[in-house]
Structures are given as structure tokens and as C-alpha cells.
Amino acid sequence: MNIAVSRTAEAPSTRTQVQWSRRWENELRLTDHAELAEFFRKSYGPTGAFNAQPFEGNRSWAGARPELRVIGYDARGIAAHLGLLRRFIKIGRVDLLVAELGLYAVRPDLEGLGISHAMRVMYPTLQELGIPFGFGTVRPALEKHMTRLVGRQGLATLMSGIRVRSTHPDVYPNLSPTRIEDVIVVVFPVGRSIGEWPAGTVIDRNGPEL
């Protein structure tokens, strides 16, 4: 889950009124992609120049391209973003349909607009799509942050001790086409309970991270 972390807690900022919009990828115009790309460069840039590089030009995605986006707007433009991509992942011998969630970011000048707010907007869409689980991964360093934002509120379950195998977004002559990461897996139960999540310590994404 590509994620740019806002600095503070879960309560929405009193300084801004955010209006949320659900946009399918085919609905986005060139101007939308350009605005999103600029938003991501500014949001991910403070976490490291390398993290902003995928969004050069008008590219509004980092690895896999989302099929659906929830975008928050305020008077200054894009305030927050969360992407969704339906895919099958493999856990052991089980093929599992999930909605991978990623490309989460909040504009740096906003404080307190947590991922929990974006997920509350996205959740009805997950139900409409008949998705059993929402799925994402974050770095271990973000475990406490994500626990505070979604774990304690009962929106998701965080799992450690799991390795995720993915492909790189591009093929490089000096790198293996796949990579294995020790990450925190974030599971959002939607159509099925968390008890029905398959057991396993390795997840094959069979594609690039969203």
C-alpha cells in the first residue's frame, strides 16, 4: 500500500471541508491525471525524493494502476486520495479475490485527515462490488500508525510475520523481476469475516503493488 502519512490523528481538520468523489479510471481526463500527479509529488516528496519519482509528468499511479479512486477535494483542490484495484492473490494454494487498497495520501498542509475517513467513504463501494476482503501492505515502521487509524476502530486487522511476493512495475536488466518483502498485511473484512482469511506466511501478489 503506497502511503504518504499525515502528521497527526484521526479527527477531521476543522480548517477544511472535504467533499469526496468516487471516480472510475475511465472517467478521468488528462487534466485530472495532471492534477493527481502533482498532488502525489507534493504528498510523497517529503517522505523521500525517490517516492515522488513515479509521478513525473502526468502519471498518477506508482506501480499497478487503480481501477477506482476515492478523491477528497476542498477549496484548494485535491485533499486526499485512496485507490482500489480488484485482483486475485494467492495464499498458499488458495486463490483469493481482494480489493487491493493503496495510493493513499493526504495533502501535507492538512492535519488529522486520517485514512479511516477515506475508508469510510470507500467501504460502501467495496460492499457494492461484492468484495470479500480489502487488502493492503505497509512497512513495519507504520504498524503503530495504522493500528491507531484503522485497527483500533475495528475497520481492519493487521498481520505481521508474512512475506509478500510482487513484481516490479518495470523490468530492469540488473534486478530480479520479482521482489519479496517482509511487511504488515492490512485486511479489511467486507463480505466475509476475518476468520475466513486463509492461513499462510507467504502471499503472492502476482503483479506490482498498487
Side-chain angles (χ1 to χ4, degrees):
M1 178 186 289
N2 287 295
I3 176 172
V5 179
S6 58
R7 289 174 288 170
T8 53
E10 305 97 49
S13 171
T14 58
R15 297 178 302 170
T16 186
Q17 293 294 320
V18 175
Q19 301 294 321
W20 295 93
S21 174
R22 186 179 73 174
R23 306 287 297 278
W24 290 96
E25 198 70 359
N26 283 350
E27 298 173 346
L28 296 178
R29 300 163 298 178
L30 180 58
T31 54
D32 295 317
H33 285 290
E35 187 179 9
L36 284 165
E38 181 181 10
F39 164 75
F40 285 127
R41 288 194 296 271
K42 291 180 177 178
S43 299
Y44 284 85
T47 68
F50 179 81
N51 295 327
Q53 286 180 3
F55 307 105
E56 291 300 321
N58 294 331
R59 177 169 165 147
S60 65
W61 61 95
R65 186 167 175 173
E67 61 176 322
L68 180 69
R69 303 169 187 257
V70 166
I71 308 172
Y73 295 91
D74 66 4
R76 295 186 54 188
I78 297 176
H81 178 281
L82 180 66
L84 175 153
L85 174 65
R86 285 172 288 185
R87 71 193 316 166
F88 280 91
I89 60 175
K90 184 177 285 292
I91 307 176
R93 296 183 177 180
V94 178
D95 285 313
L96 182 66
L97 173 65
V98 298
E100 181 163 1
L101 302 168
L103 278 181
Y104 169 70
V106 171
R107 202 173 62 224
D109 65 283
L110 294 176
E111 296 183 358
L113 192 66
I115 191 173
S116 57
H117 299 289
M119 272 306 304
R120 286 193 176 94
V121 177
M122 181 70 84
Y123 201 83
T125 299
L126 295 176
Q127 292 177 312
E128 290 172 14
L129 294 175
I131 299 297
F133 298 102
F135 161 80
T137 60
V138 298
R139 303 186 309 275
L142 293 175
E143 181 175 10
K144 290 183 179 179
H145 179 81
M146 293 298 292
T147 298
R148 183 173 70 252
L149 292 183
V150 296
R152 291 178 184 171
Q153 299 186 42
L155 293 174
T157 296
L158 278 66
M159 304 178 183
S160 58
I162 297 175
R163 296 191 301 165
V164 177
R165 184 161 43 221
S166 311
T167 64
H168 289 285
D170 301 294
V171 176
Y172 304 96
N174 58 335
L175 290 176
S176 166
T178 60
R179 63 180 181 180
I180 299 178
E181 299 177 287
D182 293 306
V183 291
I184 302 299
V185 172
V186 186
V187 178
F188 298 84
V190 183
R192 293 164 63 179
S193 71
I194 191 64
E196 297 179 85
W197 182 264
T201 58
V202 177
I203 295 176
D204 279 298
R205 189 181 256 123
N206 286 314
E209 177 184 10
L210 179 60

